[in-house]
């Protein structure tokens, strides 16, 4: 495993583990939501050769959301993606993406995200946090739109969310761009657009019930 580089260091509270309902060291009556990968999808698009748009998906990923409606600032979210599960419907391209020239999955097999700030609005949830990708940590922002979000959820209830984010691959050291077309270097675009349809299942942690 390669050593991580903190690209934009800042003082942030340590994230609690998924097995503890404590948020930044404090007890919170949070709702725990787990991603159901069977009903969810994580896709991405980027521009290639100036005009062609390449799309793909990841087959192995997941995450947890602790949602505190009374004190949204105490909410937190974690995500993970196994980069070798990339699928662009081209075996040659997928092999190249996993190679040392791009994701370098032999050294950095997984991308992870840990939230540092959650803001809940009337129509959307904005989650800011640290994304660790290719051995580099950058602060990114996720926009999450709940498709259904009742005030009084019940055990085992499912909810669907749309999630989106934009990343600059250069910021994470993904600088491969060897070819040139008529002296134009931008063969692969820098902006990667992530989109996810996330189906989540609410679970009740008995320790949360005991502390409420």
């Amino acid at each position: 495993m390669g050593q991580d580089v903190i690209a934009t260091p800042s003082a942030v509270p340590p994230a609690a583990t998924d097995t503890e309902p404590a948020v930044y060291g404090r007890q919170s009556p949070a709702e725990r939501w787990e991603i159901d990968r069977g009903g969810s999808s994580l896709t991405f698009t980027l521009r290639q050769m100036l005009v062609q748009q390449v799309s793909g998906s990841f087959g192995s990923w997941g995450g947890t959301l602790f949602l505190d409606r009374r004190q949204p600032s105490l909410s937190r979210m974690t995500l993970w993606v196994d980069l070798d599960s990339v699928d662009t419907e081209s075996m040659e391209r997928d092999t190249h993406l996993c190679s040392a020239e791009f994701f370098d999955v032999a050294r950095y097999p997984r991308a992870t995200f840990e939230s540092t700030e959650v803001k809940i609005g009337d129509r959307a949830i904005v989650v800011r946090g640290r994304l660790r990708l290719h051995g580099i940590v950058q602060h990114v922002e996720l926009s999450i739109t709940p498709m259904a979000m009742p005030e009084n959820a019940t055990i085992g209830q499912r909810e669907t969310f749309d999630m989106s984010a934009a990343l600059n691959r250069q910021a994470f050291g993904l600088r491969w761009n060897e070819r040139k077309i008529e002296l134009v270097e931008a063969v692969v675009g820098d902006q990667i657009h992530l989109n996810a349809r996330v189906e989540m299942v609410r679970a009740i942690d008995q320790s949360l019930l005991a502390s409420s």
Side-chain angles (χ1 to χ4, degrees):
M1 299 287 288
Q3 184 176 4
D4 289 329
V5 176
I6 307 298
T8 52
S10 62
V12 295
T17 64
D18 286 345
T19 57
E20 297 177 356
V23 180
Y24 301 155
R26 298 175 57 186
Q27 292 294 323
S28 168
E31 303 169 8
R32 177 171 178 155
W33 295 80
E34 296 285 351
I35 293 177
D36 180 359
R37 285 159 52 189
S40 304
S41 62
L42 175 60
T43 62
F44 65 90
T45 58
L46 73 159
R47 194 162 297 282
Q48 185 180 37
M49 299 179 70
L50 300 180
V51 294
Q52 178 185 3
Q53 183 168 274
V54 174
S55 61
S57 62
F58 291 96
S60 179
W61 64 288
T64 303
L65 169 66
F66 285 101
L67 178 60
D68 189 326
R69 298 182 193 275
R70 289 184 289 177
Q71 299 185 73
S73 62
L74 297 184
S75 300
R76 63 183 176 88
M77 185 177 191
T78 60
L79 296 168
W80 57 268
V81 180
D82 288 333
L83 298 175
D84 64 356
S85 69
V86 64
D87 181 5
T88 63
E89 298 185 349
S90 168
M91 184 176 296
E92 181 180 359
R93 181 164 52 211
D94 296 344
T95 299
H96 181 220
L97 287 174
C98 291
S99 72
E101 288 188 333
F102 216 85
F103 288 140
D104 196 0
V105 298
R107 298 176 65 197
Y108 310 107
R110 175 173 283 192
T112 59
F113 173 84
E114 296 180 353
S115 67
T116 57
E117 181 183 14
V118 178
K119 291 187 176 181
I120 301 178
D122 294 335
R123 295 178 178 269
I125 303 171
V126 176
V127 180
R128 298 183 177 93
R130 298 175 296 182
L131 175 63
R132 179 177 286 105
L133 172 63
H134 195 243
I136 295 176
V137 177
Q138 291 279 4
H139 289 257
V140 300
E141 180 176 294
L142 307 179
S143 177
I144 303 174
T145 303
M147 306 302 292
M149 208 168 175
E151 293 183 359
N152 298 312
T154 58
I155 296 175
Q157 186 168 354
R158 294 176 180 268
E159 301 293 345
T160 303
F161 301 83
D162 283 337
M163 182 173 67
S164 62
L167 310 178
N168 187 307
R169 68 182 181 91
Q170 298 277 356
F172 292 94
L174 304 175
R175 299 188 177 92
W176 180 85
N177 221 346
E178 291 184 349
R179 304 175 186 173
K180 295 183 181 180
I181 297 179
E182 296 180 355
L183 302 180
V184 178
E185 297 184 358
V187 177
V188 179
D190 290 340
Q191 291 297 312
I192 300 176
H193 298 277
L194 296 174
N195 293 279
R197 174 58 59 92
V198 182
E199 184 173 307
M200 306 196 81
V201 180
R202 185 186 177 193
I204 299 297
D205 191 318
Q206 295 302 316
S207 63
L208 287 178
L209 295 176
S211 63
S212 60

